[in-house]
Amino acid sequence: MSNVNIYFSDFFNVKEKVIDEYGAINISLINDLPLFVDPFLLFSSEDKKLKKIHDEMISYLKFLQLKSEQTDKLSGGMLKSWFMFSEVKQTWLGFSLSGNAGRGLGLDFAKGLFKGFKTVFKSFSKEAILQEAHMEKLCLISDKVGKDKISDFTTNFCKQYLLEYTERFAKRFLSPDQCQYFNVDKVSFDYKTERWNPHTYFLPSFNGDYVLLTPKSILTRDDTFINKSDMVSNIQLLASSIEDEALRFQLNNYFDRLFSDPDKKITKSDKDEATEIFIRTHPEIIDYYLKYKEEHKSEAESASKEHVYEVNQLLITQMKQLSNKLEKMTEFYNMIPNAHEETRKRIEFFKHVIEDQEGYKLFYVNDKPVKRESDLQVLYRLVWYGTKLDVNREVNNGRGPVDYKSSFGKENATLVEFKLASNSKLKQNLENQVEIYKAASETSNAFKVILFFSENEYNKVTRVLFELNLTNDPDIILIDARKDNKISASNVK
């Protein structure tokens, strides 16, 4: 049994199986897990309580739409009271790689929502061909609204459900000294008084704040089921389902002409740009896309299960194995050395576990290697838990985010940048990026860690390093995560 506390089950001394059987995700209380609440999973759910959340969210949006139509300009009070929402950080889900403090839905989102109701979002809830209105429509017509904002907005309307869901768990499985009563703001909206009301709940207590558990059935990872990228990529699939004969003809004719010249090479970028132009000039097609997704709603649940399984395997189950190895084989959870040296030792041990202790298996899910550098970043952050160094993901150094900065005061700082060898911009990154970050962060110490999963990827990395004259750079560390060249640890003599 590990003494390193990372997950809800660790801190509250409850079995993972209990959390799993309750239907919740075993969240990390060190940093957010990259999962998001998908409003479409509420819409398509057979659970009446979850379906009701979607209905309540749409009702509130209709309320905002009415208020937007009744005024030309929102006052500051109206904006803050009705249109602005903070992130429900107590779920420990989302984008943050260090802690759980995200950005939430600020002033820009609020103003954009108000403006949208008066312009491109004007037809919201009046769509004749749809079963119901969908909040995700906002992300289809605005480049500034992504899955994080859609999830944050939706989670605010799930808040009452999540509070009650977690309170039931706490009363059933936790001891009273692990919980306390919390007065929570903006839980339910009263349409008579037109204001949000607070409520009090008995909840798990962690570092002076409450913790919320979330059902796995409403979570996704890569994107919400309804999203702009999906719409743009699959626009031609919609043609057969468009009942408007004229619009169907225009769509087919548009792409027939686009591909009519056999000598002209059309790239995906060209096609995507042409598609966005068509959608802007024919916005009614958005409703047909939404209808198409409604007709294929069963796919949303299966995709959600797959995404949650991947996160659970990689960032919970397999991460526990890695932290156990660190605890048993090193003093990393107790030492306070020089930031640069500790960072090097942790990276080198990371490398040792992967290459020599079958740790490479931790980076495969369903026999496929990880595809996201963000997964490496989360794993790396978790293995630092317990250090007395300050380990943070840099976001405000003035030149864009570097993956990590480990420091013990300003004079003792080291940067770490993680890359997959498959990254198409690897050479550009090695050539410029970290040097810029070092200057912005006022430190001369920086590591570049590159993970490769095949011989072709290894050859690519070594070629790039040779071309940049970086072959012997001691601060560039390659990690071999291939599975076809490893001898089982039990067979090593």
Side-chain angles (χ1 to χ4, degrees), residues 98-117:
S98 179
N100 67 328
R103 291 166 294 188
L105 300 164
L107 196 59
D108 288 343
F109 177 86
K111 290 180 177 178
L113 190 57
F114 173 68
K115 183 180 178 181
F117 279 129

PDB file of all heavy atoms in Angstrom, residues 98-117:
ATOM      1  N   SER A  98      -1.811  22.099 -12.858  1.00  0.00           N
ATOM      2  CA  SER A  98      -1.246  22.309 -11.535  1.00  0.00           C
ATOM      3  C   SER A  98      -2.354  22.852 -10.648  1.00  0.00           C
ATOM      4  O   SER A  98      -2.809  23.970 -10.829  1.00  0.00           O
ATOM      5  CB  SER A  98      -0.072  23.297 -11.593  1.00  0.00           C
ATOM      6  OG  SER A  98       0.458  23.502 -10.305  1.00  0.00           O
ATOM      7  N   GLY A  99      -2.804  22.031  -9.698  1.00  0.00           N
ATOM      8  CA  GLY A  99      -3.926  22.456  -8.865  1.00  0.00           C
ATOM      9  C   GLY A  99      -5.244  22.323  -9.612  1.00  0.00           C
ATOM     10  O   GLY A  99      -5.377  21.542 -10.543  1.00  0.00           O
ATOM     11  N   ASN A 100      -6.237  23.107  -9.183  1.00  0.00           N
ATOM     12  CA  ASN A 100      -7.551  23.006  -9.816  1.00  0.00           C
ATOM     13  C   ASN A 100      -8.173  24.365 -10.083  1.00  0.00           C
ATOM     14  O   ASN A 100      -9.387  24.484 -10.254  1.00  0.00           O
ATOM     15  CB  ASN A 100      -8.502  22.174  -8.942  1.00  0.00           C
ATOM     16  CG  ASN A 100      -8.834  22.871  -7.624  1.00  0.00           C
ATOM     17  OD1 ASN A 100      -8.011  23.607  -7.080  1.00  0.00           O
ATOM     18  ND2 ASN A 100     -10.029  22.640  -7.111  1.00  0.00           N
ATOM     19  N   ALA A 101      -7.346  25.404 -10.138  1.00  0.00           N
ATOM     20  CA  ALA A 101      -7.871  26.757 -10.360  1.00  0.00           C
ATOM     21  C   ALA A 101      -7.847  27.090 -11.846  1.00  0.00           C
ATOM     22  O   ALA A 101      -6.798  27.361 -12.409  1.00  0.00           O
ATOM     23  CB  ALA A 101      -7.041  27.777  -9.581  1.00  0.00           C
ATOM     24  N   GLY A 102      -8.999  27.019 -12.487  1.00  0.00           N
ATOM     25  CA  GLY A 102      -9.115  27.360 -13.899  1.00  0.00           C
ATOM     26  C   GLY A 102      -9.559  28.797 -14.082  1.00  0.00           C
ATOM     27  O   GLY A 102      -9.656  29.574 -13.141  1.00  0.00           O
ATOM     28  N   ARG A 103      -9.845  29.140 -15.320  1.00  0.00           N
ATOM     29  CA  ARG A 103     -10.185  30.524 -15.624  1.00  0.00           C
ATOM     30  C   ARG A 103     -11.663  30.840 -15.457  1.00  0.00           C
ATOM     31  O   ARG A 103     -12.047  31.964 -15.213  1.00  0.00           O
ATOM     32  CB  ARG A 103      -9.743  30.842 -17.059  1.00  0.00           C
ATOM     33  CG  ARG A 103      -8.237  30.886 -17.222  1.00  0.00           C
ATOM     34  CD  ARG A 103      -7.840  30.861 -18.671  1.00  0.00           C
ATOM     35  NE  ARG A 103      -8.179  29.607 -19.299  1.00  0.00           N
ATOM     36  CZ  ARG A 103      -7.811  29.255 -20.523  1.00  0.00           C
ATOM     37  NH1 ARG A 103      -7.084  30.077 -21.246  1.00  0.00           N
ATOM     38  NH2 ARG A 103      -8.147  28.095 -21.035  1.00  0.00           N
ATOM     39  N   GLY A 104     -12.528  29.822 -15.647  1.00  0.00           N
ATOM     40  CA  GLY A 104     -13.956  30.066 -15.511  1.00  0.00           C
ATOM     41  C   GLY A 104     -14.516  30.855 -16.682  1.00  0.00           C
ATOM     42  O   GLY A 104     -13.863  31.082 -17.694  1.00  0.00           O
ATOM     43  N   LEU A 105     -15.764  31.280 -16.529  1.00  0.00           N
ATOM     44  CA  LEU A 105     -16.469  32.009 -17.580  1.00  0.00           C
ATOM     45  C   LEU A 105     -16.498  33.479 -17.214  1.00  0.00           C
ATOM     46  O   LEU A 105     -17.355  33.938 -16.476  1.00  0.00           O
ATOM     47  CB  LEU A 105     -17.888  31.458 -17.720  1.00  0.00           C
ATOM     48  CG  LEU A 105     -17.956  29.968 -18.077  1.00  0.00           C
ATOM     49  CD1 LEU A 105     -19.341  29.415 -17.808  1.00  0.00           C
ATOM     50  CD2 LEU A 105     -17.566  29.739 -19.514  1.00  0.00           C
ATOM     51  N   GLY A 106     -15.552  34.217 -17.722  1.00  0.00           N
ATOM     52  CA  GLY A 106     -15.373  35.607 -17.334  1.00  0.00           C
ATOM     53  C   GLY A 106     -16.184  36.579 -18.150  1.00  0.00           C
ATOM     54  O   GLY A 106     -17.185  36.241 -18.799  1.00  0.00           O
ATOM     55  N   LEU A 107     -15.720  37.819 -18.140  1.00  0.00           N
ATOM     56  CA  LEU A 107     -16.427  38.932 -18.767  1.00  0.00           C
ATOM     57  C   LEU A 107     -16.558  38.748 -20.270  1.00  0.00           C
ATOM     58  O   LEU A 107     -17.610  39.053 -20.854  1.00  0.00           O
ATOM     59  CB  LEU A 107     -15.695  40.240 -18.449  1.00  0.00           C
ATOM     60  CG  LEU A 107     -16.450  41.546 -18.688  1.00  0.00           C
ATOM     61  CD1 LEU A 107     -17.722  41.601 -17.872  1.00  0.00           C
ATOM     62  CD2 LEU A 107     -15.552  42.729 -18.366  1.00  0.00           C
ATOM     63  N   ASP A 108     -15.510  38.260 -20.922  1.00  0.00           N
ATOM     64  CA  ASP A 108     -15.555  38.080 -22.372  1.00  0.00           C
ATOM     65  C   ASP A 108     -16.641  37.097 -22.778  1.00  0.00           C
ATOM     66  O   ASP A 108     -17.385  37.324 -23.749  1.00  0.00           O
ATOM     67  CB  ASP A 108     -14.206  37.591 -22.898  1.00  0.00           C
ATOM     68  CG  ASP A 108     -13.142  38.678 -22.864  1.00  0.00           C
ATOM     69  OD1 ASP A 108     -13.514  39.858 -22.748  1.00  0.00           O
ATOM     70  OD2 ASP A 108     -11.947  38.343 -22.953  1.00  0.00           O
ATOM     71  N   PHE A 109     -16.745  35.979 -22.030  1.00  0.00           N
ATOM     72  CA  PHE A 109     -17.787  34.994 -22.327  1.00  0.00           C
ATOM     73  C   PHE A 109     -19.166  35.603 -22.120  1.00  0.00           C
ATOM     74  O   PHE A 109     -20.070  35.424 -22.941  1.00  0.00           O
ATOM     75  CB  PHE A 109     -17.621  33.763 -21.433  1.00  0.00           C
ATOM     76  CG  PHE A 109     -18.699  32.721 -21.636  1.00  0.00           C
ATOM     77  CD1 PHE A 109     -18.567  31.766 -22.633  1.00  0.00           C
ATOM     78  CD2 PHE A 109     -19.833  32.703 -20.839  1.00  0.00           C
ATOM     79  CE1 PHE A 109     -19.559  30.804 -22.829  1.00  0.00           C
ATOM     80  CE2 PHE A 109     -20.823  31.749 -21.028  1.00  0.00           C
ATOM     81  CZ  PHE A 109     -20.686  30.793 -22.029  1.00  0.00           C
ATOM     82  N   ALA A 110     -19.337  36.336 -21.031  1.00  0.00           N
ATOM     83  CA  ALA A 110     -20.631  36.952 -20.714  1.00  0.00           C
ATOM     84  C   ALA A 110     -21.053  37.937 -21.801  1.00  0.00           C
ATOM     85  O   ALA A 110     -22.197  37.911 -22.279  1.00  0.00           O
ATOM     86  CB  ALA A 110     -20.554  37.650 -19.364  1.00  0.00           C
ATOM     87  N   LYS A 111     -20.128  38.798 -22.198  1.00  0.00           N
ATOM     88  CA  LYS A 111     -20.431  39.768 -23.250  1.00  0.00           C
ATOM     89  C   LYS A 111     -20.707  39.083 -24.580  1.00  0.00           C
ATOM     90  O   LYS A 111     -21.591  39.491 -25.342  1.00  0.00           O
ATOM     91  CB  LYS A 111     -19.284  40.766 -23.397  1.00  0.00           C
ATOM     92  CG  LYS A 111     -19.149  41.736 -22.229  1.00  0.00           C
ATOM     93  CD  LYS A 111     -17.995  42.695 -22.449  1.00  0.00           C
ATOM     94  CE  LYS A 111     -17.913  43.723 -21.315  1.00  0.00           C
ATOM     95  NZ  LYS A 111     -16.755  44.643 -21.496  1.00  0.00           N
ATOM     96  N   GLY A 112     -19.940  38.019 -24.854  1.00  0.00           N
ATOM     97  CA  GLY A 112     -20.141  37.279 -26.092  1.00  0.00           C
ATOM     98  C   GLY A 112     -21.490  36.595 -26.139  1.00  0.00           C
ATOM     99  O   GLY A 112     -22.141  36.543 -27.186  1.00  0.00           O
ATOM    100  N   LEU A 113     -21.928  36.081 -24.990  1.00  0.00           N
ATOM    101  CA  LEU A 113     -23.229  35.429 -24.911  1.00  0.00           C
ATOM    102  C   LEU A 113     -24.352  36.444 -25.133  1.00  0.00           C
ATOM    103  O   LEU A 113     -25.297  36.196 -25.895  1.00  0.00           O
ATOM    104  CB  LEU A 113     -23.393  34.754 -23.542  1.00  0.00           C
ATOM    105  CG  LEU A 113     -24.585  33.820 -23.353  1.00  0.00           C
ATOM    106  CD1 LEU A 113     -24.575  32.699 -24.386  1.00  0.00           C
ATOM    107  CD2 LEU A 113     -24.588  33.247 -21.943  1.00  0.00           C
ATOM    108  N   PHE A 114     -24.240  37.597 -24.498  1.00  0.00           N
ATOM    109  CA  PHE A 114     -25.243  38.655 -24.674  1.00  0.00           C
ATOM    110  C   PHE A 114     -25.301  39.109 -26.131  1.00  0.00           C
ATOM    111  O   PHE A 114     -26.378  39.216 -26.728  1.00  0.00           O
ATOM    112  CB  PHE A 114     -24.897  39.840 -23.771  1.00  0.00           C
ATOM    113  CG  PHE A 114     -25.762  41.051 -24.000  1.00  0.00           C
ATOM    114  CD1 PHE A 114     -27.108  41.032 -23.676  1.00  0.00           C
ATOM    115  CD2 PHE A 114     -25.225  42.207 -24.547  1.00  0.00           C
ATOM    116  CE1 PHE A 114     -27.910  42.148 -23.892  1.00  0.00           C
ATOM    117  CE2 PHE A 114     -26.012  43.324 -24.774  1.00  0.00           C
ATOM    118  CZ  PHE A 114     -27.363  43.291 -24.445  1.00  0.00           C
ATOM    119  N   LYS A 115     -24.146  39.343 -26.723  1.00  0.00           N
ATOM    120  CA  LYS A 115     -24.083  39.769 -28.118  1.00  0.00           C
ATOM    121  C   LYS A 115     -24.608  38.678 -29.046  1.00  0.00           C
ATOM    122  O   LYS A 115     -25.315  38.947 -30.025  1.00  0.00           O
ATOM    123  CB  LYS A 115     -22.645  40.120 -28.495  1.00  0.00           C
ATOM    124  CG  LYS A 115     -22.483  40.633 -29.910  1.00  0.00           C
ATOM    125  CD  LYS A 115     -21.021  40.955 -30.219  1.00  0.00           C
ATOM    126  CE  LYS A 115     -20.851  41.436 -31.653  1.00  0.00           C
ATOM    127  NZ  LYS A 115     -19.415  41.720 -31.971  1.00  0.00           N
ATOM    128  N   GLY A 116     -24.297  37.425 -28.717  1.00  0.00           N
ATOM    129  CA  GLY A 116     -24.739  36.305 -29.536  1.00  0.00           C
ATOM    130  C   GLY A 116     -26.240  36.179 -29.608  1.00  0.00           C
ATOM    131  O   GLY A 116     -26.809  35.867 -30.664  1.00  0.00           O
ATOM    132  N   PHE A 117     -26.910  36.430 -28.482  1.00  0.00           N
ATOM    133  CA  PHE A 117     -28.377  36.344 -28.461  1.00  0.00           C
ATOM    134  C   PHE A 117     -29.023  37.400 -29.359  1.00  0.00           C
ATOM    135  O   PHE A 117     -30.160  37.246 -29.791  1.00  0.00           O
ATOM    136  CB  PHE A 117     -28.902  36.496 -27.036  1.00  0.00           C
ATOM    137  CG  PHE A 117     -28.829  35.229 -26.223  1.00  0.00           C
ATOM    138  CD1 PHE A 117     -28.254  35.223 -24.971  1.00  0.00           C
ATOM    139  CD2 PHE A 117     -29.336  34.040 -26.715  1.00  0.00           C
ATOM    140  CE1 PHE A 117     -28.185  34.061 -24.215  1.00  0.00           C
ATOM    141  CE2 PHE A 117     -29.276  32.865 -25.976  1.00  0.00           C
ATOM    142  CZ  PHE A 117     -28.699  32.880 -24.726  1.00  0.00           C
TER     143      PHE A 117
END
